[in-house]
Amino acid sequence: MMKKNIMGAITSKSKTAMRLIPNTHTICVFFSMLCYSTAFIYLYDNEIHGTLPTELAQLSRLERVELTRNDITGPLPSELGNLSKLVFLGLGVNDMSGPLPSEMGKLDILRTIGLERNQFSSTIPTEWGNMVEARLLNLDRNQLTGTVPSSLWHMTLLRGLNLSFNSGLVGTIPYPLCEQRLNYLEANCENVDCPCCTTCH
């Protein structure tokens, strides 16, 4: 049975998916009102604004979150590290800021991490090397600083890594990553020593 709630969202108690209709403009705590069997949230390019609610982490069966190309602001909640079934996280092309939470390192089956084109301004957490199922890590066009953590070489299944346009990143791409024959590896080679980059910026 389909229903329309007060936030203008169309939800279904019998389905494990939710999609916001195009003229909805706010992310709010209504995520906590969704049934806990929700596995998929698709809100791509919906002109949504607001912060990402921590209540999202209460959807314990969530597998995929696609919120790319919106106007989401604020931090990436550390509580998302409790979404143990998450395999896809798309938050690119928003206006999010603050640190990258180390707690996300607990997401050991997460395969796609898209955080490009935001304003995240921290180091890359060492704990992120524990995301051993990751295939794609896209962090380009943020304000990241510090060295590229050597722990990233634990991502032995990684096929794409984009660290470009983060002028504060320094150091050396871990050599084992070069041996993995990534499909692409991009970085600012003036600041980051990257002998195996497919593209230097």
Side-chain angles (χ1 to χ4, degrees):
M1 177 180 179
M2 301 296 292
K3 67 175 183 177
K4 183 176 180 179
N5 71 17
I6 59 173
M7 295 301 298
I10 296 176
T11 64
S12 172
K13 289 187 176 181
S14 62
K15 302 290 184 181
T16 58
M18 187 281 287
R19 178 169 181 158
L20 223 61
I21 60 176
N23 61 355
T24 300
H25 301 290
T26 303
I27 287 183
C28 195
V29 295
F30 81 95
F31 278 119
S32 64
M33 295 185 284
L34 296 176
C35 61
Y36 290 112
S37 63
T38 298
F40 176 47
I41 293 176
Y42 183 83
L43 303 173
Y44 181 91
D45 195 11
N46 266 281
E47 299 181 8
I48 296 165
H49 62 79
T51 58
L52 201 62
T54 58
E55 287 83 0
L56 193 64
Q58 296 177 16
L59 304 180
S60 59
R61 298 186 182 181
L62 201 57
E63 297 177 7
R64 295 176 178 268
V65 175
E66 175 56 285
L67 293 167
T68 303
R69 291 190 180 276
N70 285 290
D71 296 305
I72 302 170
T73 58
L76 183 61
S78 60
E79 289 84 355
L80 296 189
N82 296 322
L83 293 173
S84 61
K85 297 185 183 297
L86 197 65
V87 297
F88 182 98
L89 180 63
L91 289 169
V93 198
N94 279 288
D95 198 23
M96 301 183 72
S97 58
L100 299 176
S102 60
E103 289 83 357
M104 284 186 59
K106 297 186 293 183
L107 301 177
D108 56 3
I109 65 170
L110 185 60
R111 295 189 175 191
T112 299
I113 308 104
L115 300 175
E116 71 281 6
R117 296 175 185 256
N118 280 284
Q119 298 186 54
F120 294 115
S121 56
S122 69
T123 59
I124 300 173
T126 301
E127 293 84 355
W128 281 30
N130 297 326
M131 295 189 287
V132 294
E133 289 291 325
R135 269 68 166 181
L136 171 64
L137 176 58
N138 194 347
L139 297 172
D140 79 289
R141 288 176 171 83
N142 279 284
Q143 300 173 22
L144 301 177
T145 60
T147 59
V148 179
S150 60
S151 62
L152 293 188
W153 76 267
H154 293 297
M155 296 178 168
T156 57
L157 299 177
L158 201 64
R159 291 297 173 264
L161 174 62
N162 193 341
L163 302 174
S164 59
F165 299 102
N166 286 284
S167 59
L169 275 182
V170 296
T172 303
I173 296 296
Y175 183 74
L177 280 178
C178 293
E179 295 184 319
Q180 291 175 206
R181 298 181 180 178
L182 275 68
N183 294 332
Y184 68 88
L185 173 55
E186 301 185 26
N188 286 43
C189 297
E190 291 185 359
N191 303 321
V192 176
D193 184 13
C194 187
C196 58
C197 271
T198 58
T199 304
C200 285
H201 298 275

